Amino acid sequence: MPIYNSPTKDMQFVLHNLLNVSAQDVPGYDDLDAEFTSAVLEEAGKVATDVLLPLNAVGDTEGCVLENGIVRTPTGFDEAFKVMKEGGWTAMDCDPEYGGQGLPYVMHSAAQESFVSANMAFNMYQGLTHGAYSAIHAHGTDAQKQKWLPKMVTCEWTGTMNLTEPHCGTDLGLMRTKAVPQDDGSFKISGQKIFISAGDHDLANNIVHLVLAKIPGGPEGIKGVSLFIVPKIMVDDEGNLGDPNGVSVGKIEEKMGIHGNSTCVMNYDEATGYLLGEEHKGMRAMFTMMNEARLGVGLQGYAQAQIAYQNAVFYANDRLQGRAVTGVEYPEKAADPLIVHPDIRRNLMDQKSFVEGARAFTMWGASLIDRAHKNDDKDADGLISLMTPVLKGFLTDKGFEYATAAQQVYGGHGYIEEWGMSQFARDARIAMIYEGANGVQALDLVGRKLAQDGGKHVMAFFDMVKNFIKENDGDEALKADFLEPLKAASKDMQAAGMYFMQNGMKNPNNALSGSYDFMHLMGHVCLGLMWARMAKAAQEALDAGDTDVDFLNTKIATGKYYMARQLPATAMHLARINTGADTVMALDAAQF
């Protein structure tokens, strides 16, 4: 069975050395001292390793089964879900008014990493519930919140999001699911939704579906979409379960990965639903939780790379293969371990430098969400809105890339299912697709987010990078290895933005043809900034006499690798962007 050890020490470094959480002016952050966060994350790590990891392969091989209209989850999932509920892990950052613990979102994100690494498919049952909770919490009436949220916080009831239909995914304006008003204020929901994660299962005694549908007579297209609460089992005013609603499972999808999660076709046959938010404003309500949801998917990308990396390191140290080119390193053995070979080191350093940079980027993003929500900070809200497509798109692209890179370390054994590396790659692959396919994330970044609020937020990011470089210009330990590479990468990003401004208005294809490259270019700049900040924090800890010298020196060395070997990719992405749309659009449709 694959191994997993929660990287608690690295999480602690990000929280306290990089983000300095307990000194921030965000409500709840002053409680996040190192002793408290360590206790929470250590316990999350134990649950991940002892409870969730042993079920990861079980879920992959058994999958979910539809029996008599009910989905049965894999062996052991029910017991594990009870552990998650009893431990309060489903309620960490939820509102105390509805039974939550009220911790900051950044702590929820940190704990989620361990759960996702250990068992991504299992964790989706509570993850989807958290998304549905957030939408009801933001847009529900007081009565709706009192009725639905307490049992969703504890996951006695779970939740889903129902967007996609067989004929429409990204273009939700084409949806056909309808919601007919009733005299009592409810609606009758009819239609079919597909790709519904955790659409049905035996882990909870009710499932609260959030369903996008159109009210007849409303505006055409996306402007006519509304959002509805549609329970699997009807609930009376006292919160008691009643009769089944008109909701059924058409089938379970056969998927490439995340077999332990029930991805369902859901049929709504005049099911009773309740309007959430305003009529015809369904997308506004749904997008309330998109920053959180897409950050969570970005986290899935690097969390799968993290567990794959840990196993690749173990294998590289254990597997004997050949001799070091500079001379025998283990003469007492028949051969040297794989890790002596430079190309194996390169592969592992690629993985390590990405995962640690991605963790810092994600937790910084989570802190922006906290600041936006708890401080009503519009600048933080605008900045995380800008970063969301990069967090989701770049981290999941690279997460899959490095999950397969870890698989490569195993050679032929990486292709054999019994070693477990295949599952990490297969599970990571979905993160590039759901919650908005990555090509759409790139279009959103270039087509909407760069110009949002007159370009205020991207300029704020440029200023953030520029100010960091300026403030630390006299630090010789940072200058050559961190500040100069970051400055060059930032200039590449600014040059790409200038190209879009000069050429995108004349021909929008010039901008959109370069959008995917820009998403990756910006992703590298973001990780470059994180690594420069972490190198500074590590050096400051060393200068202050921190005794964990090996950890801190390793952190700095890993950062130097990223800046030297990964960050120069910005120049390649800029070169591609500067070619415009001519080569991309050169062929007629019939020529492909």
Side-chain angles (χ1 to χ4, degrees):
M1 185 179 76
I3 62 166
Y4 176 69
N5 294 295
S6 179
T8 305
K9 181 185 287 189
D10 202 65
M11 294 176 185
Q12 286 285 92
F13 176 84
V14 173
L15 285 171
H16 299 289
N17 295 76
L18 177 65
L19 300 178
N20 195 15
V21 288
S22 59
Q24 299 302 314
D25 63 339
V26 179
Y29 273 40
D30 54 352
D31 295 326
L32 302 182
D33 60 70
E35 183 178 359
F36 173 75
T37 59
S38 177
V40 172
L41 296 178
E42 289 285 355
E43 191 60 33
K46 290 178 184 177
V47 172
T49 301
D50 298 342
V51 179
L52 303 188
L53 181 64
L55 297 177
N56 200 32
V58 174
D60 190 49
T61 53
E62 287 189 15
C64 297
V65 179
L66 179 61
E67 294 180 344
N68 301 318
I70 299 174
V71 173
R72 304 297 181 190
T73 51
T75 302
F77 271 42
D78 185 48
E79 291 78 5
F81 207 57
K82 290 175 184 175
V83 171
M84 296 298 287
K85 291 188 290 186
E86 290 169 0
W89 299 109
T90 66
M92 283 185 68
D93 66 322
C94 295
D95 190 338
E97 184 175 346
Y98 305 105
Q101 298 176 37
L103 288 174
Y105 181 69
V106 72
M107 284 301 296
H108 167 83
S109 295
Q112 286 296 300
E113 181 191 326
S114 295
F115 301 148
V116 171
S117 286
N119 198 324
M120 177 173 161
F122 173 89
N123 196 64
M124 289 170 64
Y125 290 101
Q126 66 161 335
L128 271 295
T129 305
H130 190 279
Y133 156 87
S134 295
I136 297 173
H137 189 269
H139 296 280
T141 64
D142 288 342
Q144 286 176 330
K145 288 187 277 190
Q146 291 293 341
K147 183 172 184 175
W148 304 107
L149 294 187
K151 291 183 179 179
M152 294 178 71
V153 165
T154 61
C155 277
E156 182 178 340
W157 300 345
T158 60
T160 70
M161 296 181 285
N162 286 237
L163 290 78
T164 307
E165 298 183 7
H167 57 282
C168 71
T170 301
D171 190 356
L172 290 171
L174 298 175
M175 73 172 55
R176 297 171 185 158
T177 300
K178 64 180 181 179
V180 179
Q182 304 298 298
D183 292 340
D184 63 357
S186 67
F187 291 77
K188 291 297 183 183
I189 313 296
S190 297
Q192 185 179 78
K193 299 289 184 176
I194 63 170
F195 305 155
I196 309 307
S197 300
D200 194 80
H201 53 81
D202 54 3
L203 303 178
N205 56 19
N206 202 5
I207 301 175
V208 182
H209 300 287
L210 297 192
V211 183
L212 286 176
K214 289 185 173 182
I215 300 171
E220 292 295 317
I222 198 69
K223 293 181 179 179
V225 173
S226 302
L227 185 61
F228 299 88
I229 299 171
V230 187
K232 174 184 177 180
I233 307 295
M234 296 300 293
V235 180
D236 66 21
D237 292 338
E238 282 71 47
N240 301 308
L241 296 180
D243 296 327
N245 203 357
V247 182
S248 62
V249 181
K251 69 170 183 175
I252 300 176
E253 302 286 5
E254 294 290 332
K255 310 187 297 292
M256 175 180 176
I258 54 169
H259 296 150
N261 194 266
S262 53
T263 306
C264 298
V265 173
M266 302 300 300
N267 296 321
Y268 294 88
D269 184 12
E270 293 196 340
T272 298
Y274 309 96
L275 182 68
L276 179 60
E278 300 177 50
E279 288 190 7
H280 317 310
K281 303 292 185 183
M283 292 310 298
R284 178 188 299 175
M286 190 63 80
F287 272 98
T288 294
M289 57 190 167
M290 282 303 179
N291 285 347
E292 289 184 22
R294 288 174 174 169
L295 182 143
V297 175
L299 184 150
Q300 288 181 334
Y302 85 79
Q304 287 302 289
Q306 167 68 42
I307 188 172
Y309 163 74
Q310 287 189 13
N311 283 273
V313 169
F314 177 84
Y315 189 81
N317 279 286
D318 184 67
R319 173 76 166 176
L320 302 181
Q321 200 83 171
R323 291 295 189 184
V325 69
T326 53
V328 175
E329 294 199 15
Y330 293 83
E332 75 282 4
K333 297 182 179 181
D336 289 334
L338 280 172
I339 202 162
V340 305
H341 303 300
D343 193 60
I344 295 294
R345 294 289 189 97
R346 173 204 58 79
N347 190 341
L348 293 175
M349 286 297 287
D350 280 348
Q351 297 170 52
K352 179 178 174 64
S353 63
F354 163 73
V355 167
E356 293 181 17
R359 177 178 298 115
F361 183 30
T362 301
M363 291 174 70
W364 174 62
S367 74
L368 289 176
I369 289 176
D370 277 331
R371 185 170 290 278
H373 289 178
K374 293 177 178 293
N375 290 16
D376 195 26
D377 187 327
K378 301 303 182 186
D379 290 337
D381 189 57
L383 189 56
I384 189 57
S385 181
L386 170 70
M387 293 297 166
T388 294
V390 185
L391 284 158
K392 196 281 181 184
F394 180 68
L395 297 191
T396 58
D397 275 355
K398 289 296 182 180
F400 173 71
E401 177 183 334
Y402 291 125
T404 58
Q407 188 182 25
Q408 188 75 10
V409 172
Y410 281 68
H413 290 295
Y415 201 65
I416 303 300
E417 290 292 344
E418 69 182 85
W419 290 83
M421 300 304 287
S422 167
Q423 183 184 355
F424 303 142
R426 288 184 288 104
D427 286 357
R429 185 64 182 87
I430 185 57
M432 300 164 67
I433 298 172
Y434 62 13
E435 284 295 343
N438 286 357
V440 177
Q441 300 299 324
L443 295 179
D444 177 49
L445 175 64
V446 172
R448 294 181 61 246
K449 297 299 176 61
L450 291 183
Q452 190 172 357
D453 296 329
K456 173 183 177 180
H457 307 299
V458 73
M459 294 308 298
F461 177 67
F462 284 138
D463 286 343
M464 187 181 298
V465 175
K466 185 189 306 180
N467 290 339
F468 179 84
I469 294 170
K470 185 177 180 180
E471 289 165 5
N472 296 281
D473 190 54
D475 189 337
E476 294 302 320
L478 284 177
K479 191 165 186 177
D481 293 322
F482 290 93
L483 301 185
E484 293 300 332
L486 179 59
K487 183 186 295 184
S490 178
K491 286 182 177 179
D492 287 341
M493 182 177 161
Q494 291 178 63
M498 186 62 67
Y499 176 86
F500 293 152
M501 288 178 62
Q502 293 173 345
N503 297 276
M505 293 296 290
K506 291 180 287 186
N507 180 4
N509 284 339
N510 281 326
L512 299 186
S513 293
S515 61
Y516 213 94
D517 277 288
F518 187 83
M519 180 177 72
H520 276 249
L521 194 165
M522 186 171 172
H524 279 297
V525 174
C526 290
L527 262 64
L529 176 61
M530 293 300 111
W531 270 117
R533 287 176 167 178
M534 286 194 287
K536 178 183 179 181
Q539 188 59 55
E540 287 176 345
L542 286 168
D543 293 343
D546 192 311
T547 57
D548 204 347
V549 175
D550 185 59
F551 172 83
L552 295 168
N553 282 330
T554 299
K555 180 66 67 178
I556 294 170
T558 305
K560 287 180 179 179
Y561 180 90
Y562 191 89
M563 305 305 276
R565 298 286 301 233
Q566 299 279 37
L567 196 57
T570 60
M572 174 193 70
H573 291 299
L574 175 61
R576 290 175 174 174
I577 289 166
N578 282 334
T579 64
D582 289 348
T583 56
V584 174
M585 307 300 290
L587 300 183
D588 292 330
Q591 293 177 290
F592 280 92

